[in-house]
Amino acid sequence: MVRNGVFLTMALGTCVLLGLTLLASTGPAGETLVAFILLLIPLTVVALSIALIANGLVMLRREGRSLGNLLSLMMGVLVPGLPLGLLRIAGYHTIPYPWNVCIRALSLLVVLVVVYLSVAFVSFAVYSVVYGRTPRVQCPSAIVILGSGLINGKVPPLLRSRLDRALDIYRNSDCADDRPLLVPSGGQGADEDRAEGQAMAEYLVEHDADPRDVQPETKSSNTWENINFSAEIISQHNRSDQCFVVTNNYHVLRAASLTRKAGVKAIVVGSATANYFVPSAFIREFVAIISQHRWLNALACSPFIALTAFALWESLQQR
């Protein structure tokens, strides 16, 4: 459940605030140390911005120009730039009334929403790491491998890491009676000459998986269909007791959320991803999570809208 990550981050944040309060109460030395720690917050934002911009340039060089590959570069510019730019505009004294009041109210709203999204992203990232390190059962009845696209009909490195992780679980499972059923899942995309599931199945068999244990799913076009169509195959083979779903580590939490929503009893396991690819991938997954729960996030932002509207009304009344 994604909201568990929010609760976890809130709990950790509360503990940090309590620790800083207690430290500040110890005397001048404690107050100085707390002031230094608080000074690190804007410095951390600047460092994060620089790191995201550098990562964005690496993504463009290695992966080519696309919206997905531009995400870390865009975030590196927007995170500090958007709030500071709006606050700068709000400080201009040449803007006539009442537009200056409206711009200041809008700036406040943007800052609050950016803070909310920042906390939500930290929650998403922390919970992804915690979930990815949760102990797993060693005897799954089935292993679903989510597809991620072919290149010239072949399995690319990103997808290969998922298949290798599934093979590792398959070979080292502690099942006394039956080996896990392997379900490579993915349909044929518009730019592909065959279904991903078929190419993935061939890779598994080529790397010593028993062909009798491999049942590809070849109709799906997204993660939701991956999970649901694979669940049908697993049910047909009476392997619904305890399933693993294998994807890349950045995709684990969203896949787990969709698996839970689909009512599939499964644990999602992550495979390794190239370090330079992780920031953009995490940002993309976060955007997908926000979109998936857009009404809940809109409700969470409603107090900010109410606060901004009240501040605007008060400012206009004082004129």
Side-chain angles (χ1 to χ4, degrees), residues 172-193:
N172 296 290
S173 63
D174 295 332
C175 304
D177 300 323
D178 298 319
R179 289 186 297 263
L181 182 71
L182 290 165
V183 185
S185 178
Q188 181 176 345
D191 59 344
E192 296 172 333
D193 56 8

Side-chain angles (χ1 to χ4, degrees), residues 9-287:
T9 305
M10 289 172 61
L12 293 175
T14 302
C15 290
V16 170
L17 289 175
L18 175 60
L20 291 175
T21 302
L22 294 175
L23 182 60
S25 65
T26 59
E31 293 176 355
T32 302
L33 183 57
V34 169
F36 174 75
I37 293 173
L38 293 177
L39 179 63
L40 292 178
I41 295 176
L43 295 178
T44 301
V45 172
V46 172
L48 176 62
S49 176
I50 294 172
L52 286 172
I53 291 172
N55 177 254
L57 296 175
V58 172
M59 284 290 294
L60 290 177
R61 186 172 68 251
R62 296 190 180 185
E63 301 291 333
R65 294 183 180 181
S66 69
L67 181 59
N69 295 338
L70 281 170
L71 284 176
S72 58
L73 180 61
M74 292 166 58
M75 289 296 294
V77 174
L78 287 177
V79 167
L82 183 60
L84 290 177
L86 284 172
L87 289 173
R88 176 63 177 168
I89 293 173
Y92 286 152
H93 299 289
T94 57
I95 301 175
Y97 177 86
W99 297 110
N100 58 344
V101 177
C102 294
I103 290 175
R104 288 169 187 168
L106 178 61
S107 301
L108 173 63
L109 178 60
V110 170
V111 170
L112 291 174
V113 171
V114 168
V115 170
Y116 167 76
L117 291 176
S118 300
V119 172
F121 182 77
V122 171
S123 302
F124 170 75
V126 170
Y127 192 32
S128 294
V129 173
V130 171
Y131 182 89
R133 295 180 180 274
T134 303
R136 314 297 186 190
V137 298
Q138 297 300 314
C139 186
S141 56
I143 304 171
V144 176
I145 308 100
L146 303 182
S148 63
L150 304 177
I151 297 179
N152 298 323
K154 302 294 184 180
V155 173
L158 189 71
L159 183 53
R160 190 183 307 138
S161 70
R162 302 183 183 188
L163 293 166
D164 290 341
R165 183 75 173 96
L167 284 168
D168 182 61
I169 298 171
Y170 172 79
R171 294 170 183 145
N172 296 290
S173 63
D174 295 332
C175 304
D177 300 323
D178 298 319
R179 289 186 297 263
L181 182 71
L182 290 165
V183 185
S185 178
Q188 181 176 345
D191 59 344
E192 296 172 333
D193 56 8
R194 59 173 174 162
E196 296 171 18
Q198 190 59 48
M200 294 161 68
E202 292 176 6
Y203 182 93
L204 293 170
V205 173
E206 289 172 0
H207 289 77
D208 302 326
D210 191 326
R212 294 171 295 180
D213 296 333
V214 181
Q215 295 293 326
E217 181 282 307
T218 58
K219 300 184 299 180
S220 57
S221 59
N222 53 49
T223 304
W224 177 252
E225 292 182 354
N226 284 147
I227 293 168
N228 282 277
F229 293 164
S230 298
E232 294 176 3
I233 295 175
I234 291 170
S235 178
Q236 292 168 4
H237 288 78
N238 298 317
R239 297 296 189 96
S240 303
D241 296 338
Q242 181 62 72
C243 306
F244 275 13
V245 176
V246 179
T247 184
N248 285 90
N249 48 16
Y250 63 82
H251 190 228
V252 163
L253 191 56
R254 186 163 71 94
S257 175
L258 292 172
T259 300
R260 180 179 180 275
K261 184 178 179 180
V264 178
K265 185 179 180 181
I267 295 173
V268 183
V269 180
S271 64
T273 308
N275 290 334
Y276 75 89
F277 195 84
V278 170
S280 290
F282 259 107
I283 294 170
R284 186 169 63 247
E285 288 300 304
F286 176 67
V287 171

